[in-house]
Amino acid sequence: MHDQITVQWVHTVWTKESRGGAAAARRNAAPVGFPLPAGPRSGVHVVRMHEDDGFTPYDTVQEARTVDLRIDAEGGRLRVLPKLPGIGLYTRRRRPPAVRLAPGQWVRWHLNHRFSSALGIRGWTYWLDTYNVAYGPVTEDVFLSAPTVLVDERAWLR
């Protein structure tokens, strides 16, 4: 990953157990931005939360290729567009265009998904993927502030 590009992927997973009541309140209270790890930045900061452990965040740093995100530098700007997984059920008639960031800007992009287990035995699983992408030098708390651009591509999931 280029040293002027900082990526954080927040991946939240739940089932129907967290679609209402206290569990849904805990899920909805989960942050969508976290402080970056201290030290040199390489790779993607990945934060995972799951209903099984009360949406406690666990973070790692992974290689950029592990994230479904298309990032291209074009004419002094950074073009950002999350990829949709090849699996899952979601209704999106039209996707928003890629975001083009100037140096010093960052985008927060929300995408949700619904998946069925193999043969439908275990019911539905839901994901919220939030991609925080900054272009240019940043501080560790960059993703705790308001983004320059917010794209909310969450679809209605039954």
Side-chain angles (χ1 to χ4, degrees), residues 33-127:
F34 291 85
L36 295 167
R41 299 207 174 86
S42 63
V44 174
H45 181 221
V46 179
V47 181
R48 297 181 192 282
M49 295 178 282
H50 196 282
E51 79 178 359
D52 287 348
D53 53 21
F55 300 102
T56 301
Y58 297 96
D59 70 327
T60 61
V61 175
Q62 297 180 359
E63 292 183 23
R65 64 180 173 76
T66 64
V67 178
D68 286 334
L69 195 57
R70 183 168 178 185
I71 299 176
D72 302 299
E74 300 178 341
R77 292 192 173 259
L78 190 69
R79 183 179 181 276
V80 179
L81 182 65
K83 299 175 191 173
L84 291 176
I87 58 172
L89 300 172
Y90 38 83
T91 304
R92 287 184 178 77
R93 296 174 198 258
R94 189 170 158 242
R95 293 204 63 205
V99 169
R100 287 175 171 69
L101 300 174
Q105 296 182 326
W106 72 277
V107 61
R108 172 169 289 147
W109 198 307
H110 298 293
L111 269 166
N112 62 352
H113 314 282
R114 179 179 68 152
F115 300 94
S116 173
S117 65
L119 304 175
I121 296 170
R122 288 191 320 236
W124 297 104
T125 300
Y126 301 88
W127 291 2

